[in-house]
Amino acid sequence: MEKGYTEDLSPAQKGAVEHVEGPLLIIAGAGSGKTRVLTCRVAKLLQMGIAPGRILALTFTNKAAKEMKERISRLAGEDHSRWLWMGTFHSIFARILRSESAFIGFPSSFTIYDKSDSLSSIRACIKELQLDDKLYPASEVQARISRAKNNLLTAAAYAADPSIMEADAASAKSRTADIYRMYAQKCLLSGVMDFDDLLLYTNILFRDVPEVLEKYRARFSHVLVDEYQDTNFAQYLIVKKLALGHRNLCVVGDDAQSIYAFRGARIENILNFRRDFPEAAEYRLEQNYRSTQTIVNAANSVIQRNSERLAKTCFSQGDMGEKIEVIKAYTDREEAYMVVASLLSRQYATHVPYDDFAILYRTNAQSRVLEESLRKRNVPYKIYGGFSFYERAEVKDILAYLRIMVNPRDDEALKRIINLPARGIGDTTLLKLQAAARANQTSMWEQIGQDHLAEFGLKPSAQNKLEEFVALISDTASRQYDIDAYDFALETATRSGYLSEVKNDFSSEGKARLENIEELFNSIKEFTKTGEEEAPLTVHAFLNHVSLITPLEEADDRAEPKVSLMTVHAAKGLEFKYVYMVGLEENLFPSNLSLGSLRELEEERRLFYVGLTRAKVGLSLSYAQTRYRWGKTTGNPPSCFLKEIDARWLNKPIKDEDITEAASYPRPASSRPAVPSRSAASPFPAAPSFPAVSPRFAAPSSPANPDFVAADPGQFTAGQKIEHERFGAGRIVSLEGSHPAERKAVVDFKQYGAKTLLLKYAKMKILE
């Protein structure tokens, strides 16, 4: 055992390491050395003579588990660290389930589905039940089943819950329970589990087989949990059950970094830890060893506005550091240019490698203009945790449609989109069509409609579907030289049915796909404005343009330092010398989807806090006054979070004229624009437009009025004047959703602009 490993710990860190008996809550601020505290704590337990096999340490990533094991190995020796029960929740619970598989009806050799395996199986269930895959998008069904499992609802419990059945019926998805039942049966018969099953069945095992629960309670004398604020209900129950006997439970986390509610994470787990374990000791790791004083102070000034938080004040004893740079741009394209220019200026002045820089954004779709700007300046970059913009599936799908319009003999494009959306042209039909093309040495397109296809096994019904597809493509393609690339691309996406299918997928994946498609159309619109000639720039010219900036094979020299591009969610747990956070505007960050409740807005603020605290030396925050939304210029005021940063820490304050300038542009009232519908004047849609609304700059700071009496949500109608408990007077622009639990209102408030509110949470009264 290495000696003196606690000598240079701070008093709070040392106290957390040495408190080894009884429950313990370690509130660890960003950059406060929590990983070091956890590893030293495990080393302390080993030094006390606790057998390694009696220590259970749960993490959320394999990377975190590996890093902790390596550190413990250096402190305590490999002979000790190798026998620790240390790993992710899923890996540890899979190990337990394999040992106890006989109790739950699975073989010990059960396999585990990843997300794509699970999605494919659910898609097969939908097909076998002869359900409309447009009404039951597989990704949305998968998300519903995942939420059910994380709330410990089996297929039988799901079907027996009246409120769930009522909600499914109201959303026209009453057969979800049948899909869940069939999917669960398929998994059981195949001897497989998905990731959510690992949590569900561990809870079932501990609930239904008390002797197994007692066995593992006796085995683990000490339980440690990292990132406790990210645990969901299922994980919380398992940890609590294992620790209730000896109560030697140590949880480490930061409520200010709880940003995964959309995955089922419950901030209440860390906020209410003392309720479950009243005798728990508490240590607060408040010193930030990562960032300058300026960055830490700025982050504190933002997060202190949250009401759902544990008391702590982070501080840094490092350099004061430079003030935070605020970049104000007129357009999103100018914003990308200014960000890259600032990055290059810093790199030139400091000579640090490119991998010391990160650009963070709220949504993946925002990477497109940044990528293009980086390419123009020959700055190497990598997309962290995602694909390059033009490599994303939905973007490639739309581009494949455009390619087939320009060149019908493009077999790869044809195979990609011939059944997107589903047209009943399956793999069997495609294989036979490919065989005919090979035999006749032609493209697949040229074989469609030929008399000899029957010789290759194609039935008349399959041929009819292929000919309908050809008619659709031919009719649409005939207009490509009459209109510009943007109008033609929008017409293609609409007539094909692809845009409508994505728009009707309300899962988080569906929303991200729609955002990426919107961004693609924005890039096409920008391209059409680059030509100097009077004739419109065609889709053929756009495809040539794209092929130059997205070569089929890009060299990937992994040794070359590169700027990291990623969402703020993906940046959690990482750190960089210099960080750029872009797109800091209302309705983007915070997201328009967060405006339904104060709780959702506070999660967005925590996400902003996470982004700020990734930076060690320099931090830049940027916003654009205008952005493209479906080819139209729209404007939003700067993010309310920018205003919340104490002006002392910024190189220039946010001015009132920044708000009024943005307000002069139309802004979207809804985060999901409707797919344009056809009009009598034209058989094809124009780009959707959005109503102008007044600016919302910051969340109201006034407290809720305890005497405010809200009206019943069922009384509201479009056009009514209302008063909101916090936002004041406004008018209901529109209502959507039929089920009470899902009904939303778009309200234009006099002072704060348009908000989309979930009526079951919004407190409003009718004024007229």
Side-chain angles (χ1 to χ4, degrees):
M1 179 80 66
E2 184 179 306
K3 303 208 180 276
Y5 59 87
T6 64
E7 287 179 0
D8 56 350
L9 296 178
S10 70
Q13 290 176 326
K14 191 171 183 179
V17 167
E18 295 183 343
H19 186 99
V20 293
E21 294 297 326
L24 173 64
L25 171 62
I26 303 175
I27 305 170
S32 62
K34 72 175 179 64
T35 302
R36 186 175 183 202
V37 169
L38 274 175
T39 53
C40 287
R41 182 178 170 82
V42 173
K44 174 71 174 180
L45 293 172
L46 295 172
Q47 186 185 54
M48 292 170 56
I50 306 295
R54 304 204 67 200
I55 300 171
L56 172 64
L58 298 167
T59 68
F60 272 86
T61 65
N62 289 310
K63 179 184 175 184
K66 181 181 178 182
E67 181 182 351
M68 286 176 61
K69 270 195 173 181
E70 289 174 349
R71 290 193 186 189
I72 293 167
S73 180
R74 290 195 295 269
L75 291 176
E78 188 176 348
D79 289 343
H80 286 90
S81 63
R82 65 183 299 190
W83 300 110
L84 293 167
W85 278 63
M86 178 176 285
T88 65
F89 280 89
H90 293 94
S91 66
I92 294 295
F93 297 160
R95 182 175 173 182
I96 292 173
L97 289 172
R98 292 193 192 284
S99 297
E100 315 299 339
S101 59
F103 292 104
I104 54 175
F106 278 81
S108 60
S109 59
F110 66 81
T111 53
I112 301 172
Y113 273 165
D114 63 17
K115 192 168 185 178
S116 62
D117 294 328
S118 170
L119 195 64
S120 178
S121 182
I122 289 172
R123 195 174 283 120
C125 293
I126 293 168
K127 187 174 183 180
E128 287 182 40
L129 291 168
Q130 298 182 336
L131 299 174
D132 185 350
D133 57 6
K134 296 184 182 68
L135 185 59
Y136 292 91
S139 60
E140 185 177 346
V141 174
Q142 184 185 50
R144 287 179 179 232
I145 292 174
S146 176
R147 284 195 299 271
K149 289 181 178 180
N150 285 326
N151 284 289
L152 306 183
L153 288 171
T154 62
Y158 186 98
D161 190 310
S163 62
I164 293 177
M165 292 298 96
E166 183 183 349
D168 282 353
S171 59
K173 291 178 173 55
S174 57
R175 299 290 303 280
T176 303
D178 296 330
I179 302 171
Y180 185 4
R181 184 184 301 111
M182 178 176 283
Y183 173 63
Q185 289 172 343
K186 279 180 177 288
C187 288
L188 185 61
L189 290 172
S190 303
V192 299
M193 292 188 190
D194 61 26
F195 270 65
D196 296 314
D197 283 329
L198 297 174
L199 303 180
L200 175 65
Y201 282 107
T202 302
N203 270 290
I204 290 173
L205 177 68
F206 287 169
R207 181 196 67 193
D208 295 349
V209 192
E211 60 269 30
V212 172
L213 174 59
E214 289 304 320
K215 171 183 173 181
Y216 288 97
R217 274 184 182 167
R219 170 172 295 190
F220 304 126
S221 63
H222 289 80
V223 179
L224 300 90
V225 183
D226 191 16
E227 304 286 8
Y228 191 64
Q229 77 280 351
D230 292 336
T231 53
N232 60 27
F233 181 60
Q235 291 161 331
Y236 160 78
L237 278 185
I238 295 169
V239 169
K240 186 178 176 182
K241 286 177 180 176
L242 286 172
L244 274 181
H246 52 68
R247 302 180 79 80
N248 291 328
L249 172 62
C250 169
V251 302
V252 184
D254 182 7
D255 56 292
Q257 297 186 65
S258 178
I259 59 173
Y260 294 119
F262 67 96
R263 294 182 186 169
R266 292 159 40 109
I267 192 173
E268 297 89 351
N269 292 349
I270 191 167
L271 295 178
N272 298 332
F273 183 78
R274 297 290 293 273
R275 181 196 63 189
D276 294 329
F277 297 91
E279 77 277 26
E282 182 178 305
Y283 286 89
R284 298 175 185 171
L285 309 183
E286 297 175 307
Q287 182 171 353
N288 184 306
Y289 297 93
R290 173 190 299 157
S291 308
T292 64
Q293 292 184 43
T294 294
I295 293 170
V296 172
N297 291 340
N300 284 342
S301 67
V302 172
I303 201 62
Q304 68 184 8
R305 294 173 180 264
N306 270 13
S307 59
E308 282 191 316
R309 59 189 294 263
L310 296 169
K312 70 175 182 298
T313 302
C314 294
F315 64 94
S316 170
Q317 292 185 340
D319 295 336
M320 179 58 68
E322 62 191 57
K323 286 193 174 185
I324 296 169
E325 178 186 28
V326 177
I327 299 174
K328 171 188 172 182
Y330 181 64
T331 67
D332 50 349
R333 180 170 288 278
E334 183 183 55
E335 178 192 31
Y337 174 85
M338 293 173 72
V339 163
V340 174
S342 171
L343 187 153
L344 284 170
S345 178
R346 269 184 171 147
Q347 199 276 336
Y348 180 79
T350 62
H351 302 290
V352 300
Y354 282 123
D355 49 16
D356 277 333
F357 293 87
I359 304 177
L360 312 183
Y361 35 77
R362 180 64 181 82
T363 67
N364 276 309
Q366 292 169 254
S367 77
R368 195 264 308 172
V369 290
L370 294 162
E371 289 183 68
E372 291 183 2
S373 194
L374 289 163
R375 283 194 187 100
K376 286 179 180 177
R377 302 294 294 272
N378 294 317
V379 178
Y381 70 89
K382 61 182 177 182
I383 303 291
Y384 190 97
F387 294 104
S388 174
F389 179 81
Y390 289 104
E391 291 300 311
R392 292 168 191 161
E394 54 278 1
V395 173
K396 289 174 73 71
D397 291 342
I398 297 292
L399 291 177
Y401 263 110
L402 299 181
R403 282 163 51 196
I404 203 72
M405 297 292 177
V406 171
N407 177 19
R409 293 183 297 178
D410 186 334
D411 280 356
E412 291 304 311
L414 184 144
K415 286 189 291 184
R416 186 176 186 94
I417 52 88
I418 196 169
N419 204 39
L420 283 177
R423 300 183 176 92
I425 303 174
D427 291 341
T428 302
T429 298
L430 274 181
L431 288 172
K432 292 174 180 176
L433 184 61
Q434 284 179 279
R438 282 196 303 269
N440 292 282
Q441 296 186 338
T442 64
S443 69
M444 294 167 65
W445 175 273
E446 292 169 304
Q447 288 301 304
I448 298 174
Q450 299 295 322
D451 293 335
H452 61 256
L453 284 181
E455 300 172 13
F456 293 88
L458 275 170
K459 297 179 180 178
S461 60
Q463 293 189 51
N464 289 338
K465 290 172 183 174
L466 289 171
E467 289 170 9
E468 288 172 2
F469 171 76
V470 165
L472 169 68
I473 298 301
S474 299
D475 185 51
T476 308
S478 65
R479 289 173 49 80
Q480 64 181 287
Y481 296 105
D482 299 330
I483 53 181
D484 70 18
Y486 175 84
D487 291 336
F488 181 76
L490 186 59
E491 183 175 314
T492 298
T494 304
R495 290 192 67 186
S496 67
Y498 188 90
L499 187 57
S500 178
E501 182 179 69
V502 175
K503 188 261 178 184
N504 289 322
D505 180 359
F506 293 98
S507 67
S508 58
E509 292 85 356
K511 178 182 180 298
R513 291 171 65 204
L514 187 67
E515 289 170 343
N516 287 331
I517 292 170
E518 177 190 348
E519 189 61 21
L520 173 64
F521 281 120
N522 292 341
S523 73
I524 300 173
K525 188 69 173 182
E526 290 173 358
F527 172 77
T528 62
K529 294 185 175 183
T530 61
E532 297 178 356
E533 63 275 16
E534 293 184 3
L537 285 170
T538 65
V539 68
H540 188 272
F542 173 73
L543 289 174
N544 285 339
H545 165 72
V546 170
S547 69
L548 293 175
I549 63 173
T550 57
L552 295 178
E553 294 183 7
E554 291 185 354
D556 183 17
D557 181 6
R558 297 186 182 277
E560 180 188 15
K562 298 177 180 179
V563 175
S564 295
L565 272 63
M566 67 190 80
T567 64
V568 186
H569 278 103
K572 186 170 179 289
L574 303 177
E575 59 182 42
F576 302 89
K577 278 189 177 179
Y578 298 99
V579 168
Y580 290 81
M581 291 180 67
V582 303
L584 296 177
E585 301 129 37
E586 292 291 273
N587 293 309
L588 184 56
F589 200 170
S591 164
N592 192 47
L593 294 178
S594 72
L595 304 182
S597 72
L598 182 63
R599 185 184 181 92
E600 291 170 343
L601 185 63
E602 290 200 351
E603 172 137 342
E604 286 286 300
R605 187 177 286 111
R606 292 194 293 270
L607 184 61
F608 183 67
Y609 173 85
V610 166
L612 296 178
T613 54
R614 299 311 94 196
K616 297 197 290 186
V617 177
L619 177 63
S620 298
L621 309 175
S622 70
Y623 65 95
Q625 293 179 289
T626 63
R627 283 183 189 274
Y628 271 120
R629 290 296 307 272
W630 295 93
K632 294 289 186 181
T633 300
T634 62
N636 284 310
S639 169
C640 59
F641 300 151
L642 280 174
K643 183 71 172 179
E644 292 172 359
I645 297 176
D646 190 315
R648 289 179 295 169
W649 317 124
L650 303 176
N651 72 339
K652 58 183 177 182
I654 308 300
K655 299 178 180 178
D656 291 340
E657 54 262 34
D658 297 333
I659 309 169
T660 55
E661 286 176 18
S664 64
Y665 291 92
R667 296 196 287 125
S670 169
S671 63
R672 290 188 70 90
V675 173
S677 58
R678 299 187 182 190
S679 65
S682 170
F684 305 110
S689 59
F690 302 97
V693 293
S694 55
R696 180 187 78 84
F697 187 74
S701 58
S702 58
N705 179 0
D707 300 323
F708 188 93
V709 179
D712 185 279
Q715 297 178 7
F716 295 119
T717 59
Q720 282 178 331
K721 287 185 178 179
I722 57 88
E723 181 184 352
H724 187 275
E725 181 187 27
R726 286 179 177 269
F727 300 126
R731 182 182 292 275
I732 297 177
V733 178
S734 63
L735 294 164
E736 55 186 66
S738 56
H739 189 267
E742 299 179 349
R743 202 162 185 239
K744 297 179 182 178
V746 176
V747 184
D748 188 5
F749 292 101
K750 288 182 179 179
Q751 186 177 359
Y752 298 103
K755 289 179 175 292
T756 302
L757 305 177
L758 198 60
L759 288 179
K760 68 177 181 179
Y761 296 126
K763 293 185 178 181
M764 304 189 300
K765 62 183 179 183
I766 300 168
L767 295 181
E768 68 172 28

